Amino acid sequence: MELKIRPRRLRYGENLRKMVRETRVDPSSLIYPIFVREGSGIVEEIPAMPGQYRYSVDTMGRKLESLLKAGVGSVMFFGIPDKKDEKGSGAYDENGIVQQALRRAKAEFPDLYLITDVCMCEYTSHGHCGVLCGHEVDNDETLKLLAQTALSHVEAGADMVAPSDMMDGRVAAIRETLDAHGHINTPIMSYAVKYASAFYGPFREAAGSAPSFGDRKSYQMDYHNSREGVKEALLDVEEGADIIMVKPAMSYLDMVARIKNEVHVPVASYSVSGEYAMIKAGAQLGYIDEEKIICETAVSAFRAGCDIYLTYFAEEIAGYMKEGKIG
Ligand code: PBG
């Protein structure tokens, strides 16, 4: 058979395959989400996320240290407060759980890059991502509290803030407040393209943040929509977002690819709790090969175009990169 073009030619041998690889990955692109809670001496496994823990501020250092050793230099903090109230005051309390964690992490691990999730849902008694007016989340009232939360995080040591609430105008509100207090160089990573997703189930269990009534569909996006995601991303860039995130990752890689073409800022994708839980469950049942699935899932996000990947498997993935299993 006379075939001039044989795509298989470039697939013989590991050296050649690596040479022609289109997607290169590096641990510096990884962010590890970590849960911190009140109390001391606590390392508590999250039931629907085997291998993931809620740490108290005095125990989280173990995980931070092993992340750094593995080459993961960035973490995103999620706080689990002891007390919740209508206005989510724990979110912007200067002695709130995330603020405590930030001060400690900054002092003990000055090389670690500290990012915070800015949202109200872990702190409100009703579990919604903002303050309520009747049964609805009051967008504009919530903006003030989000800006206050972001500022208190930065003042406690956050290097970057990441609003995940999906209120309209939050990036502008946060930027204005940070700038007014002199934090002009603190970047905002916006969860701009965030869908109302059942993939957040295990996280809500971990953080006790499921809404006590209704759902999040009046602020998070309908997963039937794609163009609307572009609108959200462009708006946030205009408001001053430095990085745009797509969330979840796995079922939304079309959006990662699309957003990458629409904006000229780095794009992040967040492989969320439900994605983690599915891989763990499938592997525990012996249905899939955990390591190979983790590698393939991570590379697919980068191949789709993300520059930054948030994942509970960050430490494992950094290890696979070092071992040359992906690269
Ligand atoms: C807070 C927030 C959520 C997640 C990140 N930030 C939960 C939600 O929106 O209900 C989900 C992360 C995950 O599932 O791993 N709003």
Side-chain angles (χ1 to χ4, degrees):
M1 178 96 175
E2 245 186 72
L3 270 180
K4 216 164 55 178
I5 298 170
R6 290 182 182 270
R8 289 186 59 200
R9 257 184 227 130
L10 293 180
R11 294 185 200 134
Y12 288 101
E14 190 63 7
N15 281 349
L16 181 56
R17 282 196 293 270
K18 278 191 174 159
M19 186 195 297
V20 299
R21 216 164 237 182
E22 296 175 38
T23 307
R24 311 253 175 204
V25 292
D26 186 274
S28 58
S29 310
L30 301 171
I31 299 174
Y32 178 73
I34 186 166
F35 295 96
V36 286
R37 52 157 292 172
E38 297 279 359
S40 63
I42 298 166
V43 180
E44 186 177 60
E45 193 165 36
I46 298 165
M49 300 177 75
Q52 297 302 312
Y53 301 86
R54 301 182 192 101
Y55 299 93
S56 48
V57 170
D58 60 333
T59 61
M60 70 177 183
R62 296 179 212 174
K63 182 66 185 176
L64 300 181
E65 204 172 320
S66 64
L67 283 163
L68 276 171
K69 261 197 207 130
V72 179
S74 309
V75 291
M76 162 105 90
F77 283 99
F78 289 96
I80 304 169
D82 264 352
K83 289 187 217 95
K84 305 186 186 229
D85 60 30
E86 283 282 309
K87 295 209 171 303
S89 50
Y92 41 90
D93 179 345
E94 68 175 290
N95 286 314
I97 178 63
V98 164
Q99 290 81 351
Q100 292 175 42
L102 286 165
R103 276 187 217 105
R104 179 109 175 207
K106 203 69 201 161
E108 287 183 14
F109 302 95
D111 295 335
L112 197 60
Y113 194 78
L114 311 178
I115 308 168
T116 58
D117 180 89
V118 175
C119 195
M120 314 287 298
C121 64
E122 296 110 283
Y123 304 91
T124 51
S125 42
H126 44 77
H128 279 286
C129 299
V131 282
L132 298 181
C133 180
H135 266 46
E136 284 302 326
V137 175
D138 185 330
N139 192 88
D140 298 8
E141 277 308 305
T142 300
L143 295 186
K144 298 173 196 159
L145 302 181
L146 290 168
Q148 208 177 323
T149 303
L151 178 62
S152 80
H153 288 174
V154 173
E155 289 186 336
D159 298 303
M160 178 191 284
V161 290
S164 69
D165 52 283
M166 288 298 278
M167 297 302 123
D168 294 334
R170 79 273 173 76
V171 173
I174 291 171
R175 186 72 273 158
E176 191 182 314
T177 299
L178 293 184
D179 288 357
H181 289 81
H183 304 294
I184 54 169
N185 285 321
T186 303
I188 299 174
M189 172 162 64
S190 175
Y191 288 70
V193 189
K194 176 170 175 178
Y195 287 89
S197 168
F199 282 103
Y200 310 148
F203 172 98
R204 291 183 189 165
E205 188 190 309
S209 64
S212 60
F213 65 89
D215 52 40
R216 303 209 199 291
K217 289 182 182 165
S218 78
Y219 39 103
Q220 299 180 350
M221 282 176 42
D222 179 349
Y223 59 71
H224 298 76
N225 297 351
S226 170
R227 274 192 306 155
E228 189 187 7
V230 176
K231 172 174 153 190
E232 284 282 4
L234 293 177
L235 260 176
D236 283 6
V237 169
E238 236 171 74
E239 288 179 28
D242 300 281
I243 298 172
I244 291 293
M245 191 201 293
V246 174
K247 179 183 169 204
M250 193 162 54
S251 292
Y252 297 85
L253 296 183
D254 58 323
M255 292 310 297
V256 173
R258 186 160 185 184
I259 297 300
K260 182 72 174 218
N261 281 329
E262 297 279 352
V263 300
H264 297 99
V265 298
V267 174
S269 73
Y270 190 154
S271 178
V272 299
S273 55
E275 301 177 47
Y276 178 89
M278 289 199 307
I279 293 176
K280 278 289 177 184
Q284 273 178 8
L285 287 165
Y287 293 162
I288 53 169
D289 179 321
E290 177 170 329
E291 187 177 304
K292 288 185 175 148
I293 294 279
I294 294 172
C295 289
E296 195 173 327
T297 312
V299 170
S300 69
F302 289 109
R303 191 187 60 232
C306 80
D307 306 289
I308 300 164
Y309 188 49
L310 294 102
T311 168
Y312 300 97
F313 287 121
E315 193 172 332
E316 289 84 344
I317 293 170
Y320 303 147
M321 289 173 178
K322 250 185 218 159
E323 293 161 18
K325 289 179 174 146
I326 45 174

